[in-house]
Amino acid sequence: MSRAPHLRRLAPLAVAASLCLVASACGSDSSSGSGGGDGSVAAVIKGLDNPFFQQMEAGIDAGAQDGDLEVDVQAAADITDTTGQLDKLNVVAGQDPGCVIVNPIDGTNLVQGLAGLAAKDVPIVNIDSPVDADAASQADATPATYIGTDNTEAGRMAGEHMLTLLPEGGEVALIGGIAGDVTSNARLDGFTEAAGDGVSIVQTVSANWSRDEALTQATTLLRANPELAGFFVANDDMALGVARAVSDVGRTGEVEIISVDGVEDGLNGVADGGISAVVAQYPYAIGEMGVNACRAAMAGEDLPEEVTAPIALVTADNVQDALDAAPAPFEEYDDPFAALVD
């Protein structure tokens, strides 16, 4: 049957309570209960050494509380722990979950484990980083739904804003994550498409999602390009390294820096003027929507094939609103899965 869009926005107090619960669980592999049984949800996500995935876990926890579900959250050791993450998936698969949420490190590292779940008709909800469609199809393990950021659109939003900051044009450098990474490439491509001929892109480099590497790369770029007017950076952590490099040469406020993520440190960078703007994506909302998708799947509802998570441009004008609501979105957004089960 047709349902009206379901708009979500969590009060900061509720968000804070959820984060407190998650913080108490970060020392172990389990977030909310031990899992097991047809009514349980298991989640296998990337490493909790990154604040982005800490916020994702907080959203999963909030969704579990809202739906009165048991959730077992397992996290990889770090962004390179592909084999360890598969081992985590195999552990939760053995607990007979009613639904599994996966946030794979790469497109194929979890496919073997997903095939076993699919063979038992366990719904699979894919969040944030997509499972490779061809590999999943060959394994007969296509997820029931995918929930994630439109990274190309996030890059476009950043490119459009850079044009407003540099109306007369100027030289801009791009700093991506890991070379060849799909997410990073989509953000860089979106920026390049939107910026068009309005700026001159002098160089694109990779900094492996590392603040320290971004500091080094930006320092080199600034020395080689003394007229550099802006940076687009594929995540906030690297942008903070870029901001340090810009500060070190005494050009804070002269060189525009725009990044993607919206983690608290990035928002604080906007608030203190080191970063010009961030395109905020919301791992908290992605995690919560993932749990709601599992609730709907376990209730027998048909899930949409793909759902785009919210993004928002955060500048000095609205950064306090973003900080007050963090880690939840500060603007309303549509959660079609909550509409299926409410």
Side-chain angles (χ1 to χ4, degrees):
M1 61 183 290
S2 175
R3 300 175 188 264
H6 193 92
L7 298 178
R8 307 283 289 180
R9 183 174 175 186
L10 294 178
L13 182 60
V15 172
S18 173
L19 282 172
C20 289
L21 288 170
V22 171
S24 68
C26 285
S28 69
D29 287 333
S30 180
S31 166
S32 300
S34 59
D38 289 340
S40 70
V41 173
V44 179
I45 64 175
K46 296 179 186 176
L48 295 175
D49 57 327
N50 187 312
F52 185 90
F53 303 109
Q54 294 171 18
Q55 291 184 13
M56 180 179 289
E57 188 188 31
I60 291 170
D61 184 79
Q65 292 178 64
D66 189 45
D68 194 24
L69 294 172
E70 294 182 31
V71 176
D72 179 20
V73 179
Q74 301 283 334
D78 56 45
I79 199 66
T80 66
D81 184 29
T82 54
T83 301
Q85 192 187 39
L86 175 60
D87 291 341
K88 300 280 189 181
L89 179 63
N90 289 333
V91 167
V92 299
Q95 297 173 343
D96 191 28
C99 182
V100 174
I101 301 166
V102 292
N103 170 223
I105 290 174
D106 65 39
T108 60
N109 75 295
L110 297 183
V111 170
Q112 178 184 350
L114 297 178
L117 288 165
K120 296 189 290 186
D121 294 324
V122 176
I124 299 164
V125 172
N126 181 196
I127 62 173
D128 181 46
S129 298
V131 175
D132 182 85
D134 291 338
S137 178
Q138 291 174 12
D140 198 21
T142 299
T145 189
Y146 169 73
I147 307 162
T149 302
D150 183 337
N151 287 293
T152 303
E153 180 58 29
R156 286 194 197 102
M157 189 177 289
E160 290 168 359
H161 190 61
M162 185 66 81
L163 293 179
T164 70
L165 297 176
L166 300 175
E168 304 301 321
E171 296 181 354
V172 174
L174 277 54
I175 297 184
I178 297 169
D181 180 82
V182 173
T183 296
S184 176
N185 286 349
R187 294 175 184 178
L188 298 179
D189 289 347
F191 179 91
T192 302
E193 177 185 321
D197 296 330
V199 297
S200 174
I201 297 175
V202 296
Q203 195 168 350
T204 300
V205 300
S206 299
N208 297 309
W209 305 117
S210 164
R211 186 181 306 193
D212 289 341
E213 289 191 41
L215 168 60
T216 299
Q217 293 279 21
T219 299
T220 300
L221 287 163
L222 286 162
R223 287 173 179 166
N225 302 278
E227 300 301 316
L228 200 63
F231 284 93
F232 172 61
V233 192
N235 83 344
D236 290 352
D237 200 45
M238 293 190 297
L240 291 164
V242 173
R244 171 65 183 273
V246 171
S247 175
D248 286 347
V249 297
R251 296 192 63 197
T252 299
E254 296 177 16
V255 178
E256 307 294 351
I257 303 169
I258 304 177
S259 59
V260 179
D261 261 357
V263 298
E264 186 173 1
D265 282 351
L267 297 178
N268 283 326
V270 175
D272 67 24
I275 297 175
S276 308
V278 302
V279 179
Q281 53 177 341
Y282 291 100
Y284 183 96
I286 291 171
E288 186 181 34
M289 291 167 74
V291 175
N292 287 335
C294 273
R295 290 171 61 204
M298 291 188 296
E301 298 282 357
D302 292 329
L303 305 186
E305 182 178 341
E306 182 172 338
V307 171
T308 301
I311 57 174
L313 180 69
V314 179
T315 68
D317 292 337
N318 60 5
V319 67
Q320 192 57 54
D321 291 337
L323 283 166
D324 289 344
F330 66 98
E331 299 174 337
E332 290 185 333
Y333 65 98
D334 181 22
D335 181 350
F337 305 107
L340 290 172
V341 292
D342 282 357

